[in-house]
Every structure is written in C-alpha cells, then in structure tokens.
Amino acid sequence: MTNLASKIDKDYHNQNPVLLVVLNGAFIFAADLVRRMEIPLQLDFLRISSYAGTSSTGKMEEHFLWRIDLKNQHVLIIEDIVDTGHTLHHLLDKIKAKEPASVDVVCLLQKPAAYAYPTPLKYVGLAIPNEFVVGYGLDYEGLGRDLDSIYTLKPA
Ligand code: IMP
C-alpha cells in the first residue's frame, strides 16, 4: 500500500489530482491509500455497479456521479477490483467525455484472466486468480465488506 501511494505521489507531483472513489467497494482501500499519500489532492465519489451475486451482469447501474468539474484535471479512479473491466471502461468513457487533462486508474485487486480489454492497468495492488473474493470493502450480496482481510468465497 505504501509503495503504491509513493509511486502515485511521484507520478502526480505538482498535478493536484482528483481521486474518484468508486463506491461502495473501494471505500476502505481509498481511505488507506489517500492517508499514505502526501501530495495535495481532491477527493470525490461515485457509485456504479454491474454485479449480481458472483457474476458481472455487464449492465451498469449508476446511482450518482462526482460533483467536481473534471475538465483539465488529472483524474485517478480508485477501484476495489477489476474483473472483466466492463465497469471501469464504462466509467473511463464517461470521464473522458468531461475532457480531463489525464485519466488513469488505481485498483486494489485485478483478475487478469477475466480482463477483456487490451489496455493494461497502471496501478494494481495485487493480481489474483479468477475467484470471487470478499472483505476489506468487497462484498457478496451486501455482506463481508467489514472484514479486515480479503477471503476467497468458496461455493457451498
Ligand atoms: P467488472 O466490470 O467485471 O470488472 O467488475 C467490477 C466490479 O464488480 C467491481 O467494482 C466489484 O464491485 C465487483 N466485483 C468483481 N469481482 C468481485 C469479487 O471477486 N468480489 C467482490 N466484488 C467483485
């Protein structure tokens, strides 16, 4: 976590980035990450979901979006986990339409085997196998976000 924070600090030095936290899943990761960062930054939040149970539906539901004007800003999206990448790329399209100076993503976890896009992710905490995980902000049907660590959900 500290390494990730220092790398972002270095890359965004003098850029005062806007960090956009994707709720609900990224709330704990974002709280830990930004507290380890040292550069000046703004934070805003949005909510989007594409999951039902343990599989991605591909159908995005946005409940609310950020309020900061992103035009000419350096935007860094904070995601909990990138699976197929559909949620992230849907969001990237929306953000690019606001004409930011740059847009990138930091995610806690990525499932590379499920990722359906050619663009690599710049900041990834940990690459994991294609399994469903809960804890540290990540849920299964609303439960498990409060767990202190990350656990693989085993089929019953
Ligand atoms: P994608 O659109 O397939 O990349 O799915 C990304 C979103 O699905 C994440 O932001 C999570 O909310 C959710 N998600 C994907 N995999 C998992 C998982 O293993 N555990 C909990 N949520 C997940």
Side-chain angles (χ1 to χ4, degrees):
M1 183 76 68
T2 307
N3 287 352
L4 209 49
S6 323
K7 188 165 171 20
I8 296 168
D9 271 346
K10 203 164 146 241
D11 292 353
Y12 286 86
H13 183 64
N14 283 337
Q15 292 188 337
N16 296 0
V18 175
L19 271 56
L20 275 187
V21 184
V22 184
L23 299 173
N24 296 334
F27 81 106
I28 295 181
F29 172 49
D32 282 346
L33 181 74
V34 298
R35 283 182 293 172
R36 283 168 177 81
M37 290 178 61
E38 291 179 359
I39 57 168
L41 56 86
Q42 293 187 80
L43 271 169
D44 210 339
F45 303 85
L46 65 110
R47 191 168 180 184
I48 187 168
S49 60
S50 71
Y51 252 71
T54 59
S55 60
S56 186
T57 61
K59 193 172 148 271
M60 306 301 155
E61 268 186 52
E62 287 141 25
H63 305 281
F64 60 83
L65 294 175
W66 60 90
R67 288 179 178 221
I68 296 176
D69 182 6
L70 302 182
K71 193 174 164 81
N72 297 327
Q73 300 275 11
H74 292 281
V75 177
L76 185 62
I77 301 169
I78 307 186
E79 257 284 26
D80 53 355
I81 185 163
V82 177
D83 184 346
T84 61
H86 296 327
T87 310
L88 176 65
H89 284 269
H90 174 83
L91 200 52
L92 281 170
D93 288 346
K94 291 217 159 237
I95 292 171
K96 283 177 187 163
K98 304 289 176 194
E99 303 177 32
S102 70
V103 57
D104 231 310
V105 61
V106 51
C107 65
L108 173 66
L109 302 171
Q110 186 191 9
K111 300 180 191 172
Y115 189 59
Y117 295 80
T119 357
L121 302 175
K122 194 161 174 193
Y123 307 106
V124 178
L126 189 69
I128 63 165
N130 201 2
E131 291 175 334
F132 200 83
V133 291
V134 294
Y136 195 69
L138 293 147
D139 75 308
Y140 171 65
E141 299 200 333
L143 294 175
R145 292 194 198 281
D146 53 313
L147 298 172
D148 196 27
S149 300
I150 299 167
Y151 299 90
T152 302
L153 195 74
K154 295 286 179 202

mmCIF file of all heavy atoms in Angstrom, residues 74-111:
data_model
loop_
_atom_site.group_PDB
_atom_site.id
_atom_site.type_symbol
_atom_site.label_atom_id
_atom_site.label_comp_id
_atom_site.label_asym_id
_atom_site.label_seq_id
_atom_site.Cartn_x
_atom_site.Cartn_y
_atom_site.Cartn_z
ATOM 1 N N HIS A 74 -6.298 16.254 -13.599
ATOM 2 C CA HIS A 74 -5.686 14.919 -13.665
ATOM 3 C C HIS A 74 -6.524 14.011 -12.762
ATOM 4 O O HIS A 74 -6.570 14.206 -11.546
ATOM 5 C CB HIS A 74 -4.232 14.971 -13.215
ATOM 6 C CG HIS A 74 -3.373 15.722 -14.185
ATOM 7 N ND1 HIS A 74 -2.927 15.156 -15.363
ATOM 8 C CD2 HIS A 74 -2.942 17.004 -14.182
ATOM 9 C CE1 HIS A 74 -2.225 16.058 -16.039
ATOM 10 N NE2 HIS A 74 -2.215 17.187 -15.345
ATOM 11 N N VAL A 75 -7.193 13.055 -13.400
ATOM 12 C CA VAL A 75 -8.161 12.226 -12.676
ATOM 13 C C VAL A 75 -7.585 10.825 -12.448
ATOM 14 O O VAL A 75 -7.055 10.197 -13.373
ATOM 15 C CB VAL A 75 -9.476 12.112 -13.482
ATOM 16 C CG1 VAL A 75 -10.473 11.201 -12.775
ATOM 17 C CG2 VAL A 75 -10.083 13.493 -13.705
ATOM 18 N N LEU A 76 -7.686 10.367 -11.214
ATOM 19 C CA LEU A 76 -7.273 8.999 -10.899
ATOM 20 C C LEU A 76 -8.466 8.300 -10.248
ATOM 21 O O LEU A 76 -8.947 8.705 -9.186
ATOM 22 C CB LEU A 76 -6.070 9.005 -9.949
ATOM 23 C CG LEU A 76 -5.467 7.638 -9.649
ATOM 24 C CD1 LEU A 76 -4.919 6.971 -10.909
ATOM 25 C CD2 LEU A 76 -4.359 7.741 -8.605
ATOM 26 N N ILE A 77 -8.944 7.242 -10.917
ATOM 27 C CA ILE A 77 -10.080 6.480 -10.400
ATOM 28 C C ILE A 77 -9.556 5.474 -9.372
ATOM 29 O O ILE A 77 -8.576 4.774 -9.642
ATOM 30 C CB ILE A 77 -10.759 5.704 -11.548
ATOM 31 C CG1 ILE A 77 -11.245 6.661 -12.638
ATOM 32 C CG2 ILE A 77 -11.909 4.843 -11.047
ATOM 33 C CD1 ILE A 77 -11.679 5.951 -13.918
ATOM 34 N N ILE A 78 -10.206 5.392 -8.231
ATOM 35 C CA ILE A 78 -9.836 4.366 -7.239
ATOM 36 C C ILE A 78 -10.904 3.274 -7.253
ATOM 37 O O ILE A 78 -12.050 3.498 -6.864
ATOM 38 C CB ILE A 78 -9.710 4.945 -5.818
ATOM 39 C CG1 ILE A 78 -8.771 6.150 -5.803
ATOM 40 C CG2 ILE A 78 -9.218 3.865 -4.861
ATOM 41 C CD1 ILE A 78 -8.483 6.682 -4.396
ATOM 42 N N GLU A 79 -10.520 2.090 -7.713
ATOM 43 C CA GLU A 79 -11.439 0.940 -7.824
ATOM 44 C C GLU A 79 -11.029 -0.124 -6.825
ATOM 45 O O GLU A 79 -9.852 -0.262 -6.500
ATOM 46 C CB GLU A 79 -11.325 0.341 -9.235
ATOM 47 C CG GLU A 79 -12.452 0.694 -10.182
ATOM 48 C CD GLU A 79 -13.747 -0.072 -9.923
ATOM 49 O OE1 GLU A 79 -13.999 -0.520 -8.794
ATOM 50 O OE2 GLU A 79 -14.508 -0.215 -10.886
ATOM 51 N N ASP A 80 -11.997 -0.908 -6.367
ATOM 52 C CA ASP A 80 -11.663 -2.028 -5.491
ATOM 53 C C ASP A 80 -11.042 -3.168 -6.305
ATOM 54 O O ASP A 80 -9.943 -3.624 -6.041
ATOM 55 C CB ASP A 80 -12.897 -2.511 -4.715
ATOM 56 C CG ASP A 80 -14.099 -2.828 -5.606
ATOM 57 O OD1 ASP A 80 -14.049 -2.603 -6.835
ATOM 58 O OD2 ASP A 80 -15.110 -3.311 -5.064
ATOM 59 N N ILE A 81 -11.772 -3.609 -7.331
ATOM 60 C CA ILE A 81 -11.319 -4.783 -8.076
ATOM 61 C C ILE A 81 -11.731 -4.642 -9.543
ATOM 62 O O ILE A 81 -12.829 -4.178 -9.838
ATOM 63 C CB ILE A 81 -11.892 -6.070 -7.438
ATOM 64 C CG1 ILE A 81 -11.340 -7.321 -8.112
ATOM 65 C CG2 ILE A 81 -13.403 -6.096 -7.414
ATOM 66 C CD1 ILE A 81 -11.543 -8.596 -7.287
ATOM 67 N N VAL A 82 -10.830 -5.008 -10.435
ATOM 68 C CA VAL A 82 -11.164 -5.028 -11.853
ATOM 69 C C VAL A 82 -11.211 -6.492 -12.279
ATOM 70 O O VAL A 82 -10.236 -7.222 -12.144
ATOM 71 C CB VAL A 82 -10.144 -4.237 -12.702
ATOM 72 C CG1 VAL A 82 -10.471 -4.346 -14.184
ATOM 73 C CG2 VAL A 82 -10.133 -2.770 -12.270
ATOM 74 N N ASP A 83 -12.387 -6.884 -12.769
ATOM 75 C CA ASP A 83 -12.643 -8.273 -13.159
ATOM 76 C C ASP A 83 -12.647 -8.290 -14.696
ATOM 77 O O ASP A 83 -11.592 -8.310 -15.321
ATOM 78 C CB ASP A 83 -13.979 -8.658 -12.517
ATOM 79 C CG ASP A 83 -14.383 -10.101 -12.713
ATOM 80 O OD1 ASP A 83 -13.792 -10.782 -13.554
ATOM 81 O OD2 ASP A 83 -15.315 -10.557 -12.030
ATOM 82 N N THR A 84 -13.819 -8.240 -15.342
ATOM 83 C CA THR A 84 -13.850 -8.167 -16.809
ATOM 84 C C THR A 84 -13.317 -6.814 -17.299
ATOM 85 O O THR A 84 -12.823 -6.701 -18.417
ATOM 86 C CB THR A 84 -15.299 -8.304 -17.336
ATOM 87 O OG1 THR A 84 -16.074 -7.221 -16.811
ATOM 88 C CG2 THR A 84 -15.911 -9.631 -16.933
ATOM 89 N N GLY A 85 -13.455 -5.784 -16.464
ATOM 90 C CA GLY A 85 -13.052 -4.431 -16.860
ATOM 91 C C GLY A 85 -14.203 -3.622 -17.439
ATOM 92 O O GLY A 85 -14.040 -2.441 -17.749
ATOM 93 N N HIS A 86 -15.395 -4.233 -17.567
ATOM 94 C CA HIS A 86 -16.526 -3.505 -18.164
ATOM 95 C C HIS A 86 -16.908 -2.262 -17.353
ATOM 96 O O HIS A 86 -17.162 -1.204 -17.909
ATOM 97 C CB HIS A 86 -17.755 -4.412 -18.299
ATOM 98 C CG HIS A 86 -17.556 -5.564 -19.243
ATOM 99 N ND1 HIS A 86 -16.755 -5.477 -20.368
ATOM 100 C CD2 HIS A 86 -18.050 -6.836 -19.248
ATOM 101 C CE1 HIS A 86 -16.773 -6.641 -21.009
ATOM 102 N NE2 HIS A 86 -17.548 -7.488 -20.339
ATOM 103 N N THR A 87 -16.954 -2.416 -16.029
ATOM 104 C CA THR A 87 -17.329 -1.281 -15.171
ATOM 105 C C THR A 87 -16.340 -0.140 -15.369
ATOM 106 O O THR A 87 -16.720 1.004 -15.595
ATOM 107 C CB THR A 87 -17.318 -1.715 -13.677
ATOM 108 O OG1 THR A 87 -18.074 -2.918 -13.551
ATOM 109 C CG2 THR A 87 -17.878 -0.642 -12.781
ATOM 110 N N LEU A 88 -15.065 -0.491 -15.289
ATOM 111 C CA LEU A 88 -14.017 0.520 -15.407
ATOM 112 C C LEU A 88 -14.057 1.220 -16.769
ATOM 113 O O LEU A 88 -13.980 2.446 -16.845
ATOM 114 C CB LEU A 88 -12.657 -0.148 -15.195
ATOM 115 C CG LEU A 88 -11.475 0.777 -15.384
ATOM 116 C CD1 LEU A 88 -11.481 1.873 -14.331
ATOM 117 C CD2 LEU A 88 -10.178 -0.009 -15.324
ATOM 118 N N HIS A 89 -14.191 0.466 -17.831
ATOM 119 C CA HIS A 89 -14.148 1.071 -19.171
ATOM 120 C C HIS A 89 -15.407 1.903 -19.449
ATOM 121 O O HIS A 89 -15.326 2.925 -20.140
ATOM 122 C CB HIS A 89 -13.842 0.023 -20.231
ATOM 123 C CG HIS A 89 -12.390 -0.347 -20.204
ATOM 124 N ND1 HIS A 89 -11.443 0.284 -20.969
ATOM 125 C CD2 HIS A 89 -11.714 -1.228 -19.418
ATOM 126 C CE1 HIS A 89 -10.241 -0.205 -20.678
ATOM 127 N NE2 HIS A 89 -10.390 -1.136 -19.733
ATOM 128 N N HIS A 90 -16.510 1.494 -18.887
ATOM 129 C CA HIS A 90 -17.732 2.288 -18.977
ATOM 130 C C HIS A 90 -17.493 3.658 -18.308
ATOM 131 O O HIS A 90 -17.816 4.710 -18.863
ATOM 132 C CB HIS A 90 -18.854 1.523 -18.269
ATOM 133 C CG HIS A 90 -20.136 2.269 -18.147
ATOM 134 N ND1 HIS A 90 -21.063 2.332 -19.155
ATOM 135 C CD2 HIS A 90 -20.645 2.994 -17.114
ATOM 136 C CE1 HIS A 90 -22.087 3.078 -18.754
ATOM 137 N NE2 HIS A 90 -21.859 3.475 -17.523
ATOM 138 N N LEU A 91 -16.873 3.597 -17.155
ATOM 139 C CA LEU A 91 -16.559 4.804 -16.394
ATOM 140 C C LEU A 91 -15.521 5.668 -17.108
ATOM 141 O O LEU A 91 -15.642 6.895 -17.170
ATOM 142 C CB LEU A 91 -16.024 4.345 -15.034
ATOM 143 C CG LEU A 91 -16.042 5.320 -13.897
ATOM 144 C CD1 LEU A 91 -17.426 5.909 -13.732
ATOM 145 C CD2 LEU A 91 -15.599 4.588 -12.633
ATOM 146 N N LEU A 92 -14.509 5.019 -17.661
ATOM 147 C CA LEU A 92 -13.467 5.760 -18.383
ATOM 148 C C LEU A 92 -14.082 6.562 -19.526
ATOM 149 O O LEU A 92 -13.726 7.715 -19.750
ATOM 150 C CB LEU A 92 -12.399 4.800 -18.924
ATOM 151 C CG LEU A 92 -11.369 4.312 -17.904
ATOM 152 C CD1 LEU A 92 -10.523 3.173 -18.488
ATOM 153 C CD2 LEU A 92 -10.458 5.454 -17.447
ATOM 154 N N ASP A 93 -15.024 5.945 -20.254
ATOM 155 C CA ASP A 93 -15.684 6.652 -21.359
ATOM 156 C C ASP A 93 -16.415 7.887 -20.844
ATOM 157 O O ASP A 93 -16.362 8.957 -21.439
ATOM 158 C CB ASP A 93 -16.691 5.733 -22.070
ATOM 159 C CG ASP A 93 -15.984 4.671 -22.896
ATOM 160 O OD1 ASP A 93 -14.759 4.817 -23.119
ATOM 161 O OD2 ASP A 93 -16.648 3.696 -23.305
ATOM 162 N N LYS A 94 -17.105 7.726 -19.724
ATOM 163 C CA LYS A 94 -17.850 8.859 -19.140
ATOM 164 C C LYS A 94 -16.910 9.982 -18.722
ATOM 165 O O LYS A 94 -17.188 11.159 -18.910
ATOM 166 C CB LYS A 94 -18.613 8.411 -17.889
ATOM 167 C CG LYS A 94 -19.742 7.503 -18.201
ATOM 168 C CD LYS A 94 -20.907 7.777 -17.285
ATOM 169 C CE LYS A 94 -22.150 7.244 -17.918
ATOM 170 N NZ LYS A 94 -23.192 8.122 -18.140
ATOM 171 N N ILE A 95 -15.798 9.594 -18.120
ATOM 172 C CA ILE A 95 -14.857 10.598 -17.621
ATOM 173 C C ILE A 95 -14.139 11.300 -18.783
ATOM 174 O O ILE A 95 -13.980 12.516 -18.781
ATOM 175 C CB ILE A 95 -13.857 9.953 -16.634
ATOM 176 C CG1 ILE A 95 -14.634 9.539 -15.387
ATOM 177 C CG2 ILE A 95 -12.731 10.914 -16.289
ATOM 178 C CD1 ILE A 95 -13.857 8.723 -14.418
ATOM 179 N N LYS A 96 -13.750 10.529 -19.787
ATOM 180 C CA LYS A 96 -13.056 11.135 -20.940
ATOM 181 C C LYS A 96 -13.934 12.177 -21.615
ATOM 182 O O LYS A 96 -13.442 13.174 -22.128
ATOM 183 C CB LYS A 96 -12.635 10.051 -21.931
ATOM 184 C CG LYS A 96 -11.397 9.299 -21.457
ATOM 185 C CD LYS A 96 -11.023 8.187 -22.411
ATOM 186 C CE LYS A 96 -9.889 7.356 -21.829
ATOM 187 N NZ LYS A 96 -9.762 6.051 -22.499
ATOM 188 N N ALA A 97 -15.238 11.955 -21.591
ATOM 189 C CA ALA A 97 -16.168 12.910 -22.209
ATOM 190 C C ALA A 97 -16.144 14.263 -21.485
ATOM 191 O O ALA A 97 -16.569 15.276 -22.039
ATOM 192 C CB ALA A 97 -17.578 12.331 -22.190
ATOM 193 N N LYS A 98 -15.625 14.285 -20.261
ATOM 194 C CA LYS A 98 -15.538 15.545 -19.490
ATOM 195 C C LYS A 98 -14.242 16.295 -19.777
ATOM 196 O O LYS A 98 -13.936 17.296 -19.130
ATOM 197 C CB LYS A 98 -15.624 15.268 -17.980
ATOM 198 C CG LYS A 98 -16.855 14.513 -17.577
ATOM 199 C CD LYS A 98 -18.095 15.380 -17.706
ATOM 200 C CE LYS A 98 -19.331 14.575 -17.386
ATOM 201 N NZ LYS A 98 -20.564 15.248 -17.792
ATOM 202 N N GLU A 99 -13.415 15.771 -20.694
ATOM 203 C CA GLU A 99 -12.163 16.399 -21.124
ATOM 204 C C GLU A 99 -11.170 16.664 -19.980
ATOM 205 O O GLU A 99 -10.707 17.802 -19.790
ATOM 206 C CB GLU A 99 -12.440 17.701 -21.877
ATOM 207 C CG GLU A 99 -13.348 17.482 -23.084
ATOM 208 C CD GLU A 99 -13.684 18.798 -23.780
ATOM 209 O OE1 GLU A 99 -12.858 19.717 -23.778
ATOM 210 O OE2 GLU A 99 -14.800 18.877 -24.321
ATOM 211 N N PRO A 100 -10.834 15.631 -19.216
ATOM 212 C CA PRO A 100 -9.803 15.810 -18.192
ATOM 213 C C PRO A 100 -8.420 15.925 -18.853
ATOM 214 O O PRO A 100 -8.258 15.534 -20.008
ATOM 215 C CB PRO A 100 -9.891 14.508 -17.388
ATOM 216 C CG PRO A 100 -10.380 13.497 -18.373
ATOM 217 C CD PRO A 100 -11.305 14.241 -19.307
ATOM 218 N N ALA A 101 -7.443 16.453 -18.100
ATOM 219 C CA ALA A 101 -6.070 16.520 -18.629
ATOM 220 C C ALA A 101 -5.520 15.103 -18.778
ATOM 221 O O ALA A 101 -4.766 14.810 -19.708
ATOM 222 C CB ALA A 101 -5.203 17.338 -17.688
ATOM 223 N N SER A 102 -5.878 14.227 -17.855
ATOM 224 C CA SER A 102 -5.487 12.811 -17.954
ATOM 225 C C SER A 102 -6.443 11.994 -17.099
ATOM 226 O O SER A 102 -7.094 12.537 -16.198
ATOM 227 C CB SER A 102 -4.051 12.600 -17.449
ATOM 228 O OG SER A 102 -3.999 12.769 -16.048
ATOM 229 N N VAL A 103 -6.530 10.714 -17.414
ATOM 230 C CA VAL A 103 -7.329 9.823 -16.564
ATOM 231 C C VAL A 103 -6.643 8.468 -16.476
ATOM 232 O O VAL A 103 -6.161 7.941 -17.482
ATOM 233 C CB VAL A 103 -8.796 9.709 -17.050
ATOM 234 C CG1 VAL A 103 -8.903 9.234 -18.472
ATOM 235 C CG2 VAL A 103 -9.606 8.787 -16.139
ATOM 236 N N ASP A 104 -6.551 7.968 -15.245
ATOM 237 C CA ASP A 104 -5.926 6.662 -15.023
ATOM 238 C C ASP A 104 -6.651 5.964 -13.886
ATOM 239 O O ASP A 104 -7.588 6.528 -13.313
ATOM 240 C CB ASP A 104 -4.438 6.841 -14.695
ATOM 241 C CG ASP A 104 -3.605 5.933 -15.589
ATOM 242 O OD1 ASP A 104 -3.936 4.732 -15.660
ATOM 243 O OD2 ASP A 104 -2.654 6.422 -16.220
ATOM 244 N N VAL A 105 -6.203 4.762 -13.550
ATOM 245 C CA VAL A 105 -6.898 4.013 -12.503
ATOM 246 C C VAL A 105 -5.912 3.343 -11.556
ATOM 247 O O VAL A 105 -4.841 2.904 -11.990
ATOM 248 C CB VAL A 105 -7.852 2.962 -13.125
ATOM 249 C CG1 VAL A 105 -7.110 1.958 -13.961
ATOM 250 C CG2 VAL A 105 -8.651 2.247 -12.060
ATOM 251 N N VAL A 106 -6.289 3.334 -10.288
ATOM 252 C CA VAL A 106 -5.566 2.504 -9.327
ATOM 253 C C VAL A 106 -6.583 1.527 -8.749
ATOM 254 O O VAL A 106 -7.667 1.930 -8.322
ATOM 255 C CB VAL A 106 -4.869 3.331 -8.209
ATOM 256 C CG1 VAL A 106 -5.798 4.308 -7.530
ATOM 257 C CG2 VAL A 106 -4.224 2.412 -7.178
ATOM 258 N N CYS A 107 -6.247 0.235 -8.801
ATOM 259 C CA CYS A 107 -7.158 -0.744 -8.207
ATOM 260 C C CYS A 107 -6.412 -1.595 -7.191
ATOM 261 O O CYS A 107 -5.213 -1.848 -7.345
ATOM 262 C CB CYS A 107 -7.842 -1.607 -9.266
ATOM 263 S SG CYS A 107 -6.753 -2.650 -10.197
ATOM 264 N N LEU A 108 -7.145 -1.991 -6.173
ATOM 265 C CA LEU A 108 -6.557 -2.850 -5.144
ATOM 266 C C LEU A 108 -6.242 -4.217 -5.731
ATOM 267 O O LEU A 108 -5.153 -4.742 -5.580
ATOM 268 C CB LEU A 108 -7.547 -2.989 -3.979
ATOM 269 C CG LEU A 108 -7.182 -3.969 -2.890
ATOM 270 C CD1 LEU A 108 -5.950 -3.506 -2.131
ATOM 271 C CD2 LEU A 108 -8.355 -4.162 -1.929
ATOM 272 N N LEU A 109 -7.223 -4.799 -6.438
ATOM 273 C CA LEU A 109 -7.064 -6.156 -6.984
ATOM 274 C C LEU A 109 -7.421 -6.169 -8.458
ATOM 275 O O LEU A 109 -8.282 -5.414 -8.909
ATOM 276 C CB LEU A 109 -8.008 -7.122 -6.251
ATOM 277 C CG LEU A 109 -7.863 -7.232 -4.731
ATOM 278 C CD1 LEU A 109 -9.006 -8.057 -4.162
ATOM 279 C CD2 LEU A 109 -6.524 -7.860 -4.360
ATOM 280 N N GLN A 110 -6.781 -7.058 -9.194
ATOM 281 C CA GLN A 110 -7.187 -7.308 -10.583
ATOM 282 C C GLN A 110 -7.196 -8.809 -10.835
ATOM 283 O O GLN A 110 -6.347 -9.538 -10.319
ATOM 284 C CB GLN A 110 -6.232 -6.639 -11.590
ATOM 285 C CG GLN A 110 -6.763 -6.805 -13.014
ATOM 286 C CD GLN A 110 -5.793 -6.418 -14.118
ATOM 287 O OE1 GLN A 110 -4.623 -6.158 -13.873
ATOM 288 N NE2 GLN A 110 -6.280 -6.418 -15.346
ATOM 289 N N LYS A 111 -8.192 -9.248 -11.627
ATOM 290 C CA LYS A 111 -8.234 -10.653 -12.063
ATOM 291 C C LYS A 111 -7.824 -10.662 -13.529
ATOM 292 O O LYS A 111 -8.674 -10.530 -14.421
ATOM 293 C CB LYS A 111 -9.651 -11.209 -11.923
ATOM 294 C CG LYS A 111 -10.207 -11.191 -10.502
ATOM 295 C CD LYS A 111 -11.618 -11.774 -10.484
ATOM 296 C CE LYS A 111 -12.315 -11.546 -9.175
ATOM 297 N NZ LYS A 111 -13.734 -11.929 -9.199
#
